[in-house]
Amino acid sequence: MSDGRPRDRFIEKVGCFLIAIPVGAFIVTATAESLGIPPAGVFVGAAIVALVAGGFGSSARATHAAPSSGGSPPGQRPAPRRSAYEQMRDIVERYESGEISAERRDEIVRTLRR
């Protein structure tokens, strides 16, 4: 079938953009026409939604929160909370390295899922 020729990585990397650009343009123009606004308005609206969804307004909550009595010193941010995926990955790594037993692993996983 193939004569051992290496695959063209440039086409693989650029090919998705060659398809995404016209599809994205169609979506933007169809949305703009259905809403009766110019296409630039769709981009502005999408940017606003992305800012709000990305936590743009979450800083207001942080400034009004009461400081904890036993927390970190003022001016230092607390360590970011680890995601469930990161916690599970840590548990699996500890189990695979022999640091914890299978029973302990299962117990920790059960408490994480609650």
Side-chain angles (χ1 to χ4, degrees):
M1 310 271 173
S2 68
D3 55 341
R5 204 173 86 191
R7 294 177 7 191
D8 191 356
R9 299 284 181 193
F10 177 77
I11 296 298
E12 288 180 5
K13 291 178 183 176
V14 176
C16 63
F17 290 112
L18 295 176
I19 292 178
I21 290 172
V23 169
F26 173 76
I27 291 171
V28 168
T29 54
T31 304
E33 286 178 9
S34 66
L35 295 175
I37 59 174
V42 174
F43 285 114
V44 171
I48 291 170
V49 168
L51 284 174
V52 171
F56 180 72
S58 66
S59 62
R61 271 186 257 127
T63 57
H64 297 298
S68 62
S69 58
S72 59
Q76 252 188 359
R77 300 185 99 187
R81 186 171 179 190
R82 294 178 13 178
S83 70
Y85 171 78
E86 290 171 328
Q87 292 174 354
M88 288 288 196
R89 187 181 63 197
D90 183 47
I91 293 167
V92 170
E93 287 175 357
R94 289 174 56 200
Y95 169 71
E96 289 176 347
S97 70
E99 188 177 333
I100 60 174
S101 66
E103 293 81 21
R104 179 69 180 137
R105 177 202 61 200
D106 295 341
E107 179 184 328
I108 295 170
V109 169
R110 273 193 297 273
T111 54
L112 277 178
R113 290 187 177 177
R114 289 184 194 166

